[in-house]
Amino acid sequence: MKFIFLTKKVLALQLLLWFSVTIAIAQSGSDLRINEILVENDSNFVDDFGQRNAWIEIFNSAYNKVNIAGMYLTNDPSNPTKYQIPKGDPVTVIPPRNYLVFYADKHPTRGILHLNFDLKDSKYLALYDVNGSSLIDEIRIPEIGADTSYGRALDGSNEWIILDKTTPKANNFTGVASSPGEEFLVYDPFGFGMALIAMMVVFSSLVFLYLIFKNTKRLYTINFKQLHRISMKQNSSEELPDLTGEVNAAIAMALYFYRNELHDHEAAVLTIKKVARTYSPWSSKIYGLRTYHK
Amino acid sequence: MEHSGNYLDFVVRHLEQFLGYTSFSNFTWGHLIMICVGLFFIYLAIAKEYEPLLLVPIGFGIIVGNIPFKPGFQIGIYETGSVFNYLYFGVLQGIYPPLIFLGIGAMTDFSALISNPKLMLVGAAAQLGIFGAYAIALLLGFSPAEAGSIGIIGGADGPTAIFLSSKLAPDLLGAIAISAYSYMALVPVIQPPVMKLLTSNKERRIRMKPPRAVSKTEKIMFPIIGLLLTAFIVPSALSLLGMLFFGNLLKESTVTKRLADTAKGPLIDIVTILIGLTVGASTQATTFLTMKSVGIFALGAVSFVIATFGGVMFVKFLNLFLKEGNKMNPLIGNAGVSAVPDSARVSQVVGLQYDKTNHLLMHAMGPNVAGVIGSAVAAGILLGFLS
C-alpha cells in the first residue's frame, strides 16, 4: 500500500517535471534559428561602425519574446562556448518572429553584437544554449561568393539555399507572398469550396458530440452494482424505468405540494371556536391618554 | 486704449477658437443620420422591447460616437489615448466576446440538447447562412476576409461576429456588429415567413416526444467533452468555445455557484455595457456611412434567411429517415441560428399558431444552443482559413 502511495507521488512529481520542462522549452532559446549568413562582405550591409564584415542573422521563430543573452555562438565544433552573448543588454531580447544580426569581425570590444571570431575560413557555425552543451542550431557553411548570403528559403524552414538577395534583419522570402484570403479568391472565387469544407467541419464536430451523447444514456442506465450482483448470484435484474422529464416534473411537483401541505381542494372543515377576549387595547384607557415625559 | 484693443482681439480670437471646437461647426449630415439611427435603436429597445439590453447601449453608443468634434483632443473612439479608445481595445483585441461567452455558458442549460442529441445536427445545418452570405459577399466584390466577417452575421451571434471581424476585417467591425445585433433583434420579423413558406400545415403540427430527464453527471460531462471534441477539431475557436464550456461547467458542477452567478450576472452585464457602448460609438459617420455598410446590412438579412432555410430544410430532410412518432417539427429548424433564446421563442410562437397545445420551446432550445457552438466553430474555421 505504501509502495503504491509512493509510486503515485513519484508519478505526480514526474508529471510536474514534465510540465515544467515543457513550459521551459516553450519559452527558451530552442525556438531560435541561425537564419542567414554572409561570409564575404565587400559592398553589403554596414555595421554601426561603418564597417563591412561577415554577419549572422538569428531568427526567433516563436510567437513570444526570446532572450538570447547567455547563449553561445561558435565556428569551432570542438569549442561550443567560443563566444558568449553577454547578459543584461535589452538588445538581446528578440521580439516574436523577429531577427538579430551579429557581426563576425573579431572585434568583441565594439559591442555585444560583435563576435570574437570571423567566418573567413569557417566551415561551421553553431548556436548553443546557456549551459554551453545543448545545441540549438548548427550549419555547415558551403562556398559562397562575395556579397551573397546563404540562408533558409523561408524564415525558420529547414531548406537552405543561396539567396537571391541578402536580407539582414528582414524576411528571407523576397517574392510576392499571397495571403490565405487571396489564395481563396484565386482557387475558390465563388466560395463553394469554403462552404463545403467549413460545413463538413461544423457537422463533423457536432456529429461527434451527437454520437457521444447518443450513447451516454445507455451508459447511465447500466446499474453496475446490479450487474455485479447478477454475475455473483445469477439473479435477474430489474430494469430502471425510463422516465421522461414531464413525469419527473409531475413527481417533483407532487412531492413539493405534499411537503408544503398544499392541496388542489382545501379540506372543507370549518372550525368555529368562540374566542373569549376580555381585554382589548382598543378599549384600554391608557392608550387614549397622552403621556408626558417627566 | 491699445491694450483694450488687444484684449478685445484676444477675446474674439478665443471665442472663435471655442466656436471652432463645438459640434455645430464640425457638424455633417452624416452625423445627423447616425444620431437618428441611434435614436431609432433606442426607440426599438424601449418602445418595442427588441433586445433592449443590447440596443440601448448600442443606440446610445451611436449617439455618443457621432457627436461631432475637432480631432486632436483625445475624445473620439479612434483617437489613441482617449477613454473610448481604451474601452474599444477590448473589442479590437477580441477580449469582450469570450467574456460574454463565459456568461452565456453559465446561463445556458444544455439539457434539451443532451436529451435529444439529433438536435445538434440542426444547429450545424443552420450555419449554412454564414457560408451562403460568404459566397454572395465574394460575388459582390468583398475580399475573402471581409466576406468571412460578413458571413458570420448569419450565425446570429453578436459576440462571435465581433470576435471574427476584429480579427479579419477590423474596418468593418462597426457595421458588422450593428448589422448582427439589428437582425438578431428582428428575428421575430425575419424568420416566421421563411418558416411558413417551407413547411406544410401537417408538418407544423408535428408533436415531438417529450425530452428525457438528463442526469447531473451528463450535464457535467457535456462541457468537458464538448470542449475537447470541438476545440481539438477547430483550435482557432478556442477562446470562444473554451469560455462557453467553462462557464457551463461552473453552472453545472453546482459547487461553484458564486463563480457561475458572477459570470452570468455582474460580469456579463459589465461586458455587455462596454461592448454595446463602444461598438455603437465606433460607428462614426465618417467611417460608417459607406456603400460597404449598406452592402453589409443587405447581406446580413440574406444570411439570416439562408440560415433559417438551412435549419428548417435540414429537419425536413432528417424526417425522411425518422419513424412516425420520432419525427421532428420543422418549425424548430429556425432555432439553429444562435440568437438565444429569441429564435427558439419564434419556434414556440409560430408552432402555437397552428396547434395551441403544441409547445416547441424546449425542443427548439436544443438546436438553439447547438447553434451557439456551431457558429463558434464556423468562426474558428473562417479564422483558420482566412487570417
Side-chain angles (χ1 to χ4, degrees), chain A residues 180-181 189-191 194-195 197-199 201-203 205-210 212-214 216-217 220 243 245-246 248, chain B residues 117-118 120-121 124-125 128 131 134-135 138-139 144 210-213 217-218 221-222 225-226 229 233-234 314 381 385 387:
Chain A
F190 302 110
M194 166 70 89
I197 299 168
M199 284 304 282
V201 177
V202 173
F203 261 100
S205 309
L206 293 171
V207 162
F208 276 133
L209 265 179
Y210 159 66
I212 288 180
F213 282 91
K214 189 187 167 199
T216 47
K217 186 190 161 193
Y220 282 99
L243 297 180
E246 284 173 343
N248 278 337
Chain B
K118 277 196 296 285
M120 287 184 201
L121 305 178
L128 189 69
F131 304 104
Y134 169 80
L138 282 180
L139 282 176
R212 70 174 173 86
T217 320
E218 276 177 292
M221 275 172 60
F222 184 79
I225 295 173
L229 272 180
I233 295 172
V234 195
F314 186 75
I381 298 163
F385 281 167
S387 67

Side-chain angles (χ1 to χ4, degrees), chain B residues 4 11 16 23 39 61-62 71 74 79 82 92 108 123 143-144 181 199 217 251 258 288 305 311 319 325 336:
Chain B
S4 63
V11 170
E16 276 177 359
S23 295
L39 290 172
I62 294 174
Q74 294 186 334
E79 287 188 309
S82 74
L92 278 179
T108 307
S143 73
Y181 281 120
T199 52
T217 320
K251 172 182 181 280
R258 272 173 53 194
F288 189 78
V305 171
N319 277 347

